[in-house]
């Protein structure tokens, strides 16, 4: 038989949902735990710009303070530079840096949008399939087993996608680094096969589709086919967006442009103190002016390097672990409330009257 399916859940149906709820609640980090180390890591990215600005400020202060004692510094202090030439050079640096940063931010914004759309597709597909089970006349054990396997596979699928986007080429799966919904409840033989594969998201995606088709045959998903196709459409949409997002991880910004910008920034960090010291009279203001000019352009360049790939491991990139935890919470919530049904606590006529009364008040207001 060519059909591949994932193994059975290892614990009983009654314990499954409570176990998943405890797992997500215990592993959910607090805001303080997330933002304190993350903020410090983000601030550390400014060390290189700060060092460049400090170097420029130190050179300016040295020229202004020692200009009367050191011949070389005196020559620099008394020299006259063409203001228009420096202005043109600074304008070129500003244009190239701003363009680079703008392109990086566009990549970051689009990559962020795609990853959140992928999460929406996964949750929508899972929620739809869980809701379709309400229509089923199959045995309850089969229904709950399908739902439990579904959330585990969707969590695993998202982890594999995040690992590919982050560029995880190691032999270990991303599942070993991010939170998964009880991956030990799946067939370990297939997980070992997945670990050796180079197409992990595609394999797990196929497992999900196989599981849906198998449960159509068992009667768990006995919903009319036109409605069932929506789940397949959501899954396909998520995979298409994953392949669209992969371009940001696999296609970097042109290297020659980056090298030229860094070379010009290095020259700028040396030229700026010389120019500032030629017209500045006070040491403090001259050093401060040099620091600000160099620090700002170097900060924009370093920020662009981190933002061009929103799925990398830099401090200012997306937090893949937090994204995975968010999806897990949404998946478990879909299971926890999948059996509930909203009911009116008033009669139909009273409900109509309340809506009309509320609408009239808003119009009159």
């Amino acid at each position: 038989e060519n059909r591949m399916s994932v193994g059975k859940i290892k614990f009983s149906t009654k314990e499954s949902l409570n176990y998943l709820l405890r797992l997500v609640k215990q592993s959910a980090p607090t805001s303080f735990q997330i933002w304190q180390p993350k903020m410090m890591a983000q601030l550390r990215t400014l060390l290189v710009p700060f060092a460049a600005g400090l170097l420029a400020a130190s050179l300016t202060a040295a020229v202004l303070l020692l200009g009367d004692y050191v011949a070389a510094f005196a020559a620099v202090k008394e020299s006259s530079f063409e203001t228009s030439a420096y202005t043109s050079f600074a304008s070129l640096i500003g244009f190239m840096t701003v363009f680079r940063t703008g392109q990086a931010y566009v990549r970051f914004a689009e990559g962020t949008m795609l990853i959140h759309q992928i999460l929406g597709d996964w949750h929508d597909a899972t929620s739809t399939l869980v809701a379709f089970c309400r229509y089923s006349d199959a045995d309850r054990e089969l229904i709950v087993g399908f739902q439990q396997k579904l959330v585990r596979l969707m969590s695993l699928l998202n982890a594999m996608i995040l690992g590919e986007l982050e560029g995880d080429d190691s032999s270990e799966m991303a599942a070993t680094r991010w939170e998964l919904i009880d991956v030990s409840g799946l067939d370990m033989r297939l997980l070992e096969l997945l670990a050796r594969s180079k197409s992990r998201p595609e394999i797990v995606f196929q497992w999900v589709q196989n599981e849906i088709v198998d449960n159509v045959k068992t009667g768990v998903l006995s919903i009319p086919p036109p409605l069932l196709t929506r789940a397949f459409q959501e899954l396909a949409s998520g995979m298409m967006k994953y392949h669209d997002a992969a371009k940001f991880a696999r296609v970097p910004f042109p290297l020659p442009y980056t090298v030229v910008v860094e070379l010009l920034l290095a020259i700028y960090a040396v030229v700026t103190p010389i120019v500032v010291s030629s017209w500045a009279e006070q040491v403090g203001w001259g050093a401060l002016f040099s620091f600000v000019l160099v620090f700002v352009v170097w900060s924009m360049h370093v920020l662009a390097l981190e933002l061009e790939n929103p799925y990398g491991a830099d401090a200012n990139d997306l937090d893949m672990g937090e994204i995975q935890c968010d999806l897990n919470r949404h998946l478990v919530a879909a299971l926890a409330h999948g059996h509930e049904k909203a009911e009116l606590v008033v009669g139909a006529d009273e409900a109509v009257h309340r809506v009309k009364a509320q609408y009239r008040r808003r119009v009159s207001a």
Side-chain angles (χ1 to χ4, degrees):
E1 186 176 0
N2 295 326
R3 185 178 60 194
M4 179 181 291
S5 61
V6 179
K8 296 181 179 179
I9 306 302
K10 290 187 176 180
F11 41 82
S12 66
T13 301
K14 294 181 180 180
E15 297 174 344
S16 298
L17 189 56
N18 291 332
Y19 174 81
L20 294 181
L21 290 173
R22 291 196 305 270
L23 176 66
V24 173
K25 183 177 180 180
Q26 292 173 359
S27 61
T30 63
S31 299
F32 181 79
Q33 292 172 331
I34 293 175
W35 287 107
Q36 186 185 33
K38 185 175 182 179
M39 185 178 298
M40 296 302 298
Q42 289 174 334
L43 292 177
R44 280 196 293 269
T45 60
L46 297 177
L47 289 178
V48 172
F50 183 83
L54 188 61
L55 175 62
S58 301
L59 289 176
T60 302
V63 171
L64 293 176
L65 290 174
L66 303 178
D68 297 333
Y69 307 100
V70 180
F73 288 164
V76 172
K77 183 178 180 181
E78 296 175 359
S79 61
S80 59
F81 289 88
E82 183 64 32
T83 305
S84 59
Y86 176 77
T87 302
S88 300
F89 180 67
S91 300
L92 175 63
I93 293 289
F95 173 78
M96 297 187 68
T97 305
V98 169
F99 175 78
R100 173 85 165 81
T101 306
Q103 292 297 312
Y105 181 76
V106 169
R107 291 166 61 97
F108 184 85
E110 186 176 351
T112 302
M113 178 186 66
L114 286 173
I115 201 67
H116 283 87
Q117 288 179 346
I118 291 173
L119 297 183
D121 288 336
W122 297 157
H123 176 263
D124 194 8
T126 303
S127 177
T128 300
L129 291 170
V130 170
F132 285 168
C133 292
R134 297 173 63 91
Y135 188 79
S136 175
D137 294 327
D139 185 73
R140 184 175 182 276
E141 190 74 19
L142 292 176
I143 295 175
V144 176
F146 164 70
Q147 293 175 346
Q148 294 291 323
K149 279 192 283 186
L150 178 64
V151 296
R152 286 163 173 78
L153 288 176
M154 295 304 297
S155 177
L156 181 62
L157 172 61
N158 193 69
M160 295 300 101
I161 285 178
L162 296 183
E164 291 294 324
L165 292 178
E166 195 179 48
D168 181 20
D169 296 327
S170 62
S171 59
E172 297 183 359
M173 294 190 301
T176 62
R177 296 187 290 112
W178 292 319
E179 175 193 293
L180 288 171
I181 298 180
D182 186 40
V183 68
S184 62
L186 300 175
D187 190 342
M188 297 307 297
R189 178 182 60 85
L190 293 181
L191 294 179
E192 293 174 358
L193 173 66
L194 183 64
R196 296 191 298 268
S197 174
K198 297 297 184 181
S199 302
R200 297 165 187 166
E202 289 77 10
I203 290 178
V204 181
F205 180 73
Q206 189 62 48
W207 290 351
V208 173
Q209 294 196 108
N210 290 348
E211 193 66 31
I212 296 174
V213 173
D214 290 347
N215 281 275
V216 171
K217 184 177 181 180
T218 61
V220 172
L221 294 173
S222 57
I223 202 76
L227 298 179
L228 185 59
T229 56
R230 178 184 173 184
F232 287 103
Q233 291 171 355
E234 294 292 343
L235 292 171
S237 175
M239 285 301 291
M240 289 181 62
K241 290 168 184 173
Y242 152 62
H243 288 290
D244 191 17
K247 64 186 178 185
F248 299 118
R250 298 171 183 171
V251 183
F253 200 84
L255 180 61
Y257 191 98
T258 303
V259 172
V260 170
V261 170
E262 291 183 347
L263 179 61
L264 292 177
L265 286 175
I267 298 174
Y268 183 74
V270 176
V271 172
T272 296
I274 298 176
V275 175
V276 172
S277 61
S278 66
W279 54 260
E281 297 181 357
Q282 297 183 3
V283 177
W285 286 110
L288 178 62
F289 196 74
S290 296
F291 175 83
V292 171
L293 288 177
V294 175
F295 175 77
V296 170
V297 292
W298 271 93
S299 297
M300 294 180 65
H301 175 66
V302 171
L303 181 62
L305 291 176
E306 295 200 356
L307 292 184
E308 68 175 356
N309 179 14
Y311 313 120
D314 297 321
N316 292 288
D317 292 332
L318 296 177
D319 190 339
M320 297 301 203
E322 184 179 353
I323 291 174
Q324 179 69 18
C325 290
D326 287 342
L327 177 66
N328 290 342
R329 285 193 290 270
H330 297 330
L331 294 177
V332 173
L335 277 187
H337 303 283
H339 64 283
E340 298 174 356
K341 180 181 178 181
E343 299 285 354
L344 282 174
V345 295
V346 297
D349 294 337
E350 176 65 17
V352 173
H353 174 72
R354 290 187 178 188
V355 172
K356 290 182 178 180
Q358 181 180 359
Y359 179 74
R360 291 195 193 97
R361 287 196 300 268
R362 290 186 177 181
V363 172
S364 60

